[in-house]
Amino acid sequence: MALHAAPPPPPPCTAGRLPTTSRRPCFSAGRIFRCSLPAAAARPRNAAFLAPLRTSSAVCTKAVSNSDGTPGTSSSPHVVCFGELLIDFVPTVNGVSLAEASAFKKAPGGAPANVAVGIARLGGSSAFIGKVGDDEFGYMLADILKENNVNNQGLLFDAHARTALAFVTLRNDGEREFMFYRNPSADMLLEETELDLDLIRKAKIFHHGSISLITEPCKTAHIAAAKAAKDAGVLISYDPNLRLPLWSSADDARDGILSIWETADVIKISEEEVSFLTKGEDPYDDSVIKKLMHPNLKLLLVTEGPEGCRYYSKEFNGRVGGLKVNAVDTTGAGDAFVAGILSQLSVDFSLLQDEGRLREALKFANVCGALTVTERGAIPALPTRQQVVDALTKVVA
């Protein structure tokens, strides 16, 4: 399918960008300051839900192009990832609070986008569908997708909302907590009419999470995208990626995550998410895990950090050990794992019926996750196929 370079942004989008004098980062000498934003960004918090924020002319699309700027071509991506694309600000040292952090590393992220880039880094074929702000961060993120060979024809820019930001607190063990800035952010404003349904229907796998189920209009767009994929016979991959602070309550989060549970063919969850969804039951008890199975589920994966993962299907179940490394930042580890398994599954669905080959694929995915925690940030740390192969070779040796 031929893709053409996007024309220059129309006036409404240009007007929505930050003035040149306001594009400086909101950081100085390691401290965080408030920034003066244009009137569009300073509207009442509920304005997004009182009236449409934009017309179609206020949204720009950025098509895939070659490195020299000429129009590029791409066959239909094997895996289409739907959801959020944002900026993570990660402290340069572990074990401090956000207030105590003296500096942050700016890192592109967002779970579905991490998966898309992870698949491409591993040599696979992927696309991303979502929305960012018509601002410097939004264009930076679009460029990062393109630079990593991710099809970004489904990425939109919104002139009336900013690209989402997340500040991450890293504990000494590399685990993290999040503080989000999205009131609303552009990713929350994707509408059903803006979906590239053709891109979705031609995919082999549609991967999504739960964050875009939290608010309208993105919730409706999310459900419509997943339905289009399901109706077209596309394999549905689901990683809830629980971020409890974004939901109004724990019950709403649990209900929201489970609301699309039975539409998925492949589900990946963490041991913590098992406990959350089952209201505190033992995540290491197979009988508890089997409660989360549904009749049409082909594969349920439970990740256990450095310990590896467990897998469950109707025919078999088991555990695959992980690769032990020194964790610096666990952000994106689960997404790297998902990229690792989907990159292989997208070219060979028969893995779902062959336990031996599935175990090898999961060993590969575990290494993807392990290598990602050795650097700060999600997308910057995602490994290439050669890095994973080299790590596997060292383990065997």
Side-chain angles (χ1 to χ4, degrees):
M1 177 175 63
L3 302 174
H4 303 285
C13 279
T14 303
R17 300 188 71 184
L18 284 169
T20 301
T21 56
S22 298
R23 290 181 189 167
R24 296 190 306 272
C26 305
F27 299 89
S28 178
R31 297 180 64 189
I32 305 174
F33 292 86
R34 295 178 180 175
C35 296
S36 296
L37 297 177
R43 66 187 184 280
R45 294 179 65 180
N46 62 348
F49 308 103
L50 296 176
L53 282 174
R54 45 135 201 84
T55 61
S56 59
S57 63
V59 176
C60 303
T61 59
K62 191 164 186 175
V64 177
S65 60
N66 295 323
S67 58
D68 61 0
T70 59
T73 58
S74 173
S75 58
S76 299
H78 288 172
V79 184
V80 170
C81 301
F82 176 96
E84 65 278 5
L85 175 59
L86 49 82
I87 302 289
D88 288 323
F89 285 95
V90 185
T92 55
V93 295
N94 291 10
V96 298
S97 68
L98 290 178
E100 294 169 334
S102 60
F104 294 82
K105 176 183 177 180
K106 178 183 66 178
N114 294 343
V115 173
V117 173
I119 289 169
R121 288 255 179 98
L122 295 170
S125 168
S126 65
F128 176 79
I129 293 178
K131 185 182 278 191
V132 291
D134 182 26
D135 52 39
E136 294 295 339
F137 284 148
Y139 283 97
M140 182 195 84
L141 292 170
D143 287 341
I144 286 171
L145 292 182
K146 184 174 68 175
E147 290 163 6
N148 283 278
N149 298 314
V150 175
N151 181 315
N152 67 357
Q153 72 183 69
L155 179 65
L156 301 175
F157 297 82
D158 196 300
H160 297 272
R162 299 298 175 206
T163 300
L165 306 178
F167 286 82
V168 186
T169 302
L170 298 177
R171 301 201 310 248
N172 285 324
D173 61 359
E175 287 296 334
R176 67 266 193 261
E177 297 176 353
F178 294 87
M179 182 167 68
F180 294 91
Y181 285 80
R182 52 198 308 266
N183 292 310
S185 53
D187 61 291
M188 301 164 67
L189 303 178
L190 182 66
E191 298 183 13
E192 181 179 356
T193 56
E194 297 170 330
L195 294 172
D196 188 335
L197 295 177
D198 190 53
L199 186 66
I200 294 170
R201 290 170 179 141
K202 290 181 178 179
K204 293 185 177 180
I205 298 175
F206 177 81
H207 176 73
H208 60 161
S210 69
I211 289 177
S212 48
L213 292 171
I214 297 175
T215 58
E216 294 289 2
C218 192
K219 178 179 178 180
T220 294
H222 183 156
I223 293 170
K227 184 178 186 303
K230 195 72 173 179
D231 291 347
V234 178
L235 188 83
I236 306 296
S237 167
Y238 183 35
D239 177 3
N241 192 40
L242 175 65
R243 294 288 180 265
L244 199 52
L246 294 178
W247 295 85
S248 59
S249 69
D251 285 341
D252 281 350
R254 190 176 295 106
D255 291 344
I257 288 171
L258 294 176
S259 68
I260 59 171
W261 193 263
E262 295 194 1
T263 66
D265 299 298
V266 175
I267 297 175
K268 173 265 173 190
I269 48 176
S270 67
E271 51 194 334
E272 294 87 356
E273 288 166 339
V274 172
S275 293
F276 175 77
L277 293 174
T278 59
K279 299 184 177 182
E281 294 193 54
D282 184 0
Y284 302 101
D285 185 339
D286 284 349
S287 65
V288 171
I289 302 300
K290 289 176 181 177
K291 293 179 183 178
L292 295 173
M293 299 287 288
H294 66 76
N296 297 317
L297 187 62
K298 296 177 173 61
L299 182 65
L300 176 62
L301 299 170
V302 181
T303 54
E304 300 178 343
E307 301 305 318
C309 68
R310 283 172 284 155
Y311 58 92
Y312 299 83
S313 74
K314 294 175 183 176
E315 291 77 25
F316 44 72
N317 65 81
R319 182 191 299 270
V320 176
L323 175 67
K324 302 296 177 62
V325 296
N326 293 321
V328 173
D329 176 10
T330 59
T331 306
D335 305 324
F337 173 87
V338 172
I341 189 63
L342 293 187
S343 67
Q344 298 171 88
L345 190 58
S346 64
V347 295
D348 188 1
F349 282 178
S350 68
L351 287 174
L352 295 170
Q353 285 79 47
D354 187 327
E355 184 175 10
R357 291 169 57 233
L358 176 63
R359 289 181 61 86
E360 289 301 312
L362 291 173
K363 185 184 299 182
F364 181 94
N366 282 342
V367 172
C368 290
L371 293 179
T372 300
V373 308
T374 61
E375 297 183 34
R376 297 184 190 278
I379 286 177
L382 294 169
T384 63
R385 176 170 290 276
Q386 190 58 53
Q387 288 174 319
V388 177
V389 170
D390 289 346
L392 283 167
T393 301
K394 291 179 182 178
V395 171
V396 173

